[in-house]
Amino acid sequence: MAEHKRENFSSKLGIIMATAGSALGLGNIYRFPCEAGANGGGAFLIVYLVVALLIGTPLMISEFVIGRRSKSNPVGAFRRLAGKKTVWPAVGFLGVLCAFLILAFYTTVAGWTLGYLGKSVAGHFSGQNLEQIQSQFVSFTNHPWLPIVCQLLFLILTAFVVARGVKDGIERYSKILMPLLLVIMVVLCVKSLTLNGAADGLKFFFNPDFSKLNGRVLIGALGQSFFSLSIGMGALITYGSYISKDDNMTTSAVSVVLADTFVAVLAGVIIFPAAFTFGIQPEAGASLAFTTLPMVFQQMTGGYFFCLIFFLLLVIATLTSTISLLEVIVAAMTEELKITRTKAAVIGSLVTAVIGVFATLSFREGSALHISGRTVFDLLDHITASYFMPIGGLLIVLFVGWRMKRADLLDEMTNGGRLKVGVNKVIAFIIRYIAPVAIAVIFVSQLVG
Ligand code: PFF
């Protein structure tokens, strides 16, 4: 039988940085601008901010509460808190399944970041014009084996860290690298704002056109906020289980939501001015980050250096996210199936690799890997962000708000009465009444159009 001792994060800063490590990633820098671009810019941004703050924060706290109170992986957590004979552990299973599906397509783009790090080391972008940079993206993603090798390498890297036990590694390096990512992004932002298309880009991003608001934009913003904050599928139940009894979960969650939202907005402020300057469609989707950013670097003194640092940090920000995804799977397997971390990490990443390769192959031009009009990549992204995470999130707030006793919830949020109850009462109210209704309404609004 595998022995596993449960470790805790060593400090409040450690929790914030590890959770921010999970939250900050491709969702902010790659997916957010894609979603905002496709859903009308400013209108999307406003809905996103409201959803992230009003629903995202209480849901993140709910996950922490479940994790810390049960000291268990998502499946075990619901079993411990609700009992074996209930349906609640199924919510944990749903989360683990969701982690597999996200990891499968997430590692497609994660592999690109690794490939682009290689390209920036080799100086592939210097002296290139927009068409050349765009065609580099097309030939990279259509290469017969390179994107798959990069994806598998990324999975191996993730499995390696997770197998060794995460806490020390993740916590230690998240603390240094997350602030560094922020600094580099601020520098890029300043550069982007001095480009010719800055005014048009900012107008697109910040000017809300409410006529664009519909069910699709709402679910897009909800799915994006869940994806970006890593909520609704148990990742933060797992991280919550490593939070010690003395840490303040409410302020940790608020810090992470603010940092995550700030970085997403920053990514928009970098990408849209650049896209407008170089004549790239804001709806360009996948290629937005991988073509606009190298173009911005082209315009900068020291561009080679910044490009290299940027892709290095992007790899690391992505890695801290894939680690948290694989950790959900590994924590569940080690505790439920009683196998070692190493075995769980190997099996988890092998299964992911099998699905993930299809996601990567489906990206190729002319690929037959389409299901109901979507590539496998898009389909996995769509079903996780539009169905799994909102449904998971709804069940989590219903569990914490209605199945748990209110006194237990407040007890957990206030560390057994040692912290002030004040704002926690408001959060408990949102968890009980507002979040479930809001998630349900947004979810149904997409079904009816
Ligand atoms: N939050 C990550 C991002 O924005 O890139 C993606 C993610 C990581 C989603 C971990 C879910 C998760 F459990």
Side-chain angles (χ1 to χ4, degrees), residues 379-400:
L379 188 75
L380 290 173
D381 180 354
H382 179 68
I383 56 172
T384 48
S386 304
Y387 295 94
F388 273 75
M389 295 172 111
I391 292 173
L394 178 60
L395 293 171
I396 288 167
V397 283
L398 285 177
F399 182 82
V400 172

Side-chain angles (χ1 to χ4, degrees), residues 171-228:
E171 188 177 332
R172 198 175 301 147
Y173 84 111
S174 299
K175 270 187 199 161
I176 307 168
L177 296 164
M178 291 299 119
L180 206 59
L181 178 71
L182 208 65
V183 172
I184 250 312
M185 287 188 71
V186 170
V187 173
L188 280 179
C189 176
V190 171
K191 178 66 210 177
S192 239
L193 290 177
T194 60
L195 295 169
N196 291 338
D200 289 338
L202 293 181
K203 206 163 132 206
F204 173 78
F205 189 37
F206 287 116
N207 233 3
D209 174 2
F210 287 108
S211 67
K212 296 246 164 67
L213 269 193
N214 56 27
R216 223 178 49 120
V217 174
L218 285 176
I219 193 74
L222 186 79
Q224 173 59 25
S225 70
F226 281 20
F227 187 84
S228 187

Side-chain angles (χ1 to χ4, degrees), residues 56-383:
T57 316
L59 179 50
M60 186 178 283
I61 294 169
S62 302
E63 292 205 26
F64 281 166
V65 164
I66 295 176
R68 188 170 76 173
R69 208 162 178 83
S70 65
K71 287 256 159 271
S72 185
N73 71 84
V75 179
F78 283 102
R79 186 169 356 86
R80 268 191 203 169
L81 299 181
K84 238 188 214 156
K85 301 227 168 70
T86 66
V87 293
W88 287 105
V91 181
F93 275 115
L94 205 71
V96 178
L97 177 62
C98 185
F100 269 117
L101 300 179
I102 295 179
L103 196 55
F105 77 87
Y106 200 80
T107 46
T108 297
V109 185
W112 300 351
T113 64
L114 214 51
Y116 266 62
L117 175 61
K119 276 175 172 295
S120 43
V121 173
H124 280 185
F125 308 117
S126 53
Q128 300 264 293
N129 60 27
L130 182 63
E131 285 83 65
Q132 289 167 318
I133 286 185
Q134 280 173 329
S135 83
Q136 280 200 46
F137 179 74
V138 174
S139 50
F140 178 77
T141 49
N142 280 286
H143 191 279
W145 47 263
L146 200 53
I148 294 176
V149 169
C150 289
Q151 178 181 32
L152 296 180
L153 270 178
F154 209 99
L155 258 175
I156 293 171
L157 215 60
T158 309
F160 182 75
V161 180
V162 172
R164 308 195 85 195
V166 218
K167 273 77 70 186
D168 267 358
I170 303 181
E171 188 177 332
R172 198 175 301 147
Y173 84 111
S174 299
K175 270 187 199 161
I176 307 168
L177 296 164
M178 291 299 119
L180 206 59
L181 178 71
L182 208 65
V183 172
I184 250 312
M185 287 188 71
V186 170
V187 173
L188 280 179
C189 176
V190 171
K191 178 66 210 177
S192 239
L193 290 177
T194 60
L195 295 169
N196 291 338
D200 289 338
L202 293 181
K203 206 163 132 206
F204 173 78
F205 189 37
F206 287 116
N207 233 3
D209 174 2
F210 287 108
S211 67
K212 296 246 164 67
L213 269 193
N214 56 27
R216 223 178 49 120
V217 174
L218 285 176
I219 193 74
L222 186 79
Q224 173 59 25
S225 70
F226 281 20
F227 187 84
S228 187
L229 295 169
S230 310
I231 48 183
M233 37 71 67
L236 299 188
I237 293 181
T238 312
Y239 275 18
S241 73
Y242 307 134
I243 296 180
S244 89
K245 288 285 173 213
D246 301 320
D247 287 311
N248 186 333
M249 297 187 296
T250 307
T251 51
S252 302
V254 170
S255 316
V256 174
V257 172
L258 291 179
D260 188 76
T261 308
F262 180 68
V263 171
V265 173
L266 209 57
V269 173
I270 295 170
I271 287 183
F272 291 117
F276 276 83
T277 304
F278 304 123
I280 300 171
Q281 289 299 313
E283 301 87 11
S287 63
L288 209 51
F290 288 88
T291 53
T292 30
L293 289 178
M295 276 308 288
V296 179
F297 295 123
Q298 284 290 300
Q299 313 283 313
M300 296 169 70
T301 2
Y304 172 86
F305 174 74
F306 279 110
C307 186
L308 196 138
I309 295 282
F310 177 78
F311 281 111
L312 180 64
L313 290 172
L314 192 57
V315 164
I316 290 154
T318 307
L319 185 64
T320 48
S321 299
T322 53
I323 287 170
S324 72
L325 283 161
L326 189 60
E327 178 63 15
V328 176
I329 298 166
V330 167
M333 284 171 89
T334 51
E335 293 174 5
E336 300 303 311
L337 307 177
K338 311 278 184 247
I339 59 175
T340 61
R341 279 191 85 81
T342 310
K343 220 184 229 172
V346 171
I347 297 173
S349 34
L350 277 178
V351 176
T352 306
V354 173
I355 319 171
V357 165
F358 285 105
T360 303
L361 288 175
S362 76
F363 231 96
R364 289 206 188 145
E365 274 168 10
S367 157
L369 290 168
H370 281 63
I371 299 172
S372 57
R374 292 177 194 267
T375 60
V376 173
F377 178 96
D378 276 341
L379 188 75
L380 290 173
D381 180 354
H382 179 68
I383 56 172

